[in-house]
Amino acid sequence: MVWASGWRLASAVSNAGGLGLLGAGSMYPEVLEEHIIKCKKATDKPFGVNIPMLYPDVQKLMDIIVEQGVKIVFTSAGNPKTWTKFLQEKGITVVHVVSSVKFALKAQEAGVDAIVAEGFEAGGHNGRDETTTMVLIPSVKEKITVPLIAAGGIATGRAMLAAMVLGADGVQVGSRFVASPEASSHELFKKKVVDAKEGDTQLTLKELAPVRLLKNKFFQDVQEAYSKGASTEELKVLLGRARAKRGMFEGDMEEGELEIGQVSGLIHEIKPAADIVADLMAEFNKAKTEVQDY
């Protein structure tokens, strides 16, 4: 949810009964502080912050979270041992995002309060093993004892119910909320998501950090580089800096990096976050009733 989940989206989701998350991966420390302050003013409900631990100023981000009294942190892209105890000692609930059973066990060993298991259908950075959500959730559930949250390919109430049948205690929804007025993503990107069809995304750049992208000129340039046997260094040069900001935030639909999940093929309209939450719950409850009738 980089460049998508700022204070407007996080507070709207929390106000609607979900747990809104600020995506700190695209925020400088002072920007994160501003978003936390605005989010606290916009909602009196719980919200959290997602922090990719590969962020260079992660210590500053953590200090701001503590100073601002944030009570829930989702960590990702790094070793959970690094920050879990630090945060928990400050009274903060820690949830760690993983893409495999191996890393789920490491997260549990690190003492996290809950785990997000994210299948490779998900948008953005992803696991190299390409394990689908349907396989990953029961595999992780079999091995851990802490609460399990399913992510990856979940944008409907039916998918939420399916994840819980597979063993999840809750779900994390990302891509669906990109197509909302409250998301800070560029309007051209939102339209691109709504227009996406099955097969319009693909996981790539596994040598750097696996990422699922909408197919555009930049994606095709990456594929051409692969066909010519590009080295890791050459791929780094091609990627450059701020490619995701250029696409998802600034609206360059050709040269930008457009991160979104496979489930974009099921997203057909831009609608308010509160309506998305309401639709998810209504379809979840309807599907649960239908299943009980079998």
Side-chain angles (χ1 to χ4, degrees):
M1 294 297 283
V2 65
W3 300 113
S5 193
W7 69 270
R8 287 184 178 85
L9 180 56
S11 61
V13 171
S14 289
N15 284 332
L19 176 67
L21 293 178
L22 294 171
S26 56
M27 298 180 183
Y28 291 115
E30 62 273 17
V31 175
L32 175 61
E33 184 172 38
E34 177 188 348
H35 277 263
I36 291 172
I37 291 169
K38 288 182 176 179
C39 201
K40 287 194 292 188
K41 290 179 179 178
T43 183
D44 59 358
K45 304 294 194 301
F47 68 91
V49 177
N50 178 289
I51 297 189
M53 291 185 288
L54 48 72
Y55 192 94
D57 280 334
V58 65
Q59 177 70 63
K60 293 180 181 178
L61 297 183
M62 294 298 186
D63 289 343
I64 287 168
I65 281 169
V66 172
E67 290 166 8
Q68 289 296 326
V70 174
K71 294 302 181 186
I72 303 167
V73 170
F74 281 51
T75 55
S76 57
N79 186 345
K81 287 185 178 180
T82 310
W83 292 103
T84 296
K85 288 293 183 285
F86 169 86
L87 293 167
Q88 289 174 334
E89 286 169 359
K90 308 295 190 298
I92 297 171
T93 297
V94 179
V95 184
H96 189 67
V97 183
V98 303
S99 60
S100 69
V101 173
K102 173 185 175 182
F103 290 121
L105 289 170
K106 286 182 178 294
Q108 181 170 264
E109 183 183 338
V112 301
D113 296 292
I115 288 170
V116 174
E118 183 177 78
F120 104 117
E121 301 96 321
H125 293 290
N126 219 309
R128 287 184 169 84
D129 295 333
E130 300 191 9
T131 307
T132 63
T133 301
M134 179 163 266
V135 173
L136 182 62
I137 298 308
S139 298
V140 172
K141 184 68 173 182
E142 187 177 58
K143 298 295 184 180
I144 67 169
T145 57
V146 298
L148 173 61
I149 300 166
I154 301 169
T156 65
R158 291 183 180 278
M160 183 164 72
L161 177 61
M164 292 183 176
V165 171
L166 290 172
D169 299 292
V171 298
Q172 178 174 281
V173 177
S175 294
R176 183 62 191 92
F177 287 105
V178 170
S180 69
E182 295 91 346
S184 50
S185 316
H186 197 281
E187 292 304 312
L188 289 176
F189 178 49
K190 295 178 187 180
K191 184 178 186 304
K192 191 88 168 175
V193 170
V194 169
D195 290 343
K197 304 293 189 296
E198 179 187 4
D200 282 353
T201 71
Q202 188 171 320
L203 195 69
T204 189
L205 293 172
K206 292 176 73 172
E207 295 84 354
L208 306 181
V211 62
R212 180 171 295 282
L213 302 177
L214 273 170
K215 296 174 182 177
N216 64 350
K217 181 182 178 300
F218 168 66
F219 176 86
Q220 297 304 332
D221 288 345
V222 171
Q223 298 311 106
E224 185 176 343
Y226 275 120
S227 71
K228 294 178 178 177
S231 66
T232 299
E233 284 305 313
E234 288 171 329
L235 291 172
K236 284 182 181 178
V237 171
L238 176 60
L239 177 61
R241 289 181 56 81
R243 181 80 70 168
K245 180 182 181 182
R246 184 174 175 180
M248 295 182 283
F249 190 66
E250 296 177 347
D252 188 337
M253 295 296 100
E254 293 302 318
E255 298 292 347
E257 187 177 7
L258 308 178
E259 303 177 10
I260 202 73
Q262 276 186 336
V263 80
S264 54
L266 284 175
I267 300 171
H268 306 308
E269 61 180 320
I270 296 170
K271 61 169 56 180
D275 291 350
I276 293 171
V277 174
D279 288 350
L280 282 166
M281 292 309 304
E283 185 175 303
F284 172 82
N285 289 320
K286 182 173 183 289
K288 189 164 61 171
T289 301
E290 292 171 352
V291 168
Q292 290 169 348
D293 291 338
Y294 285 140

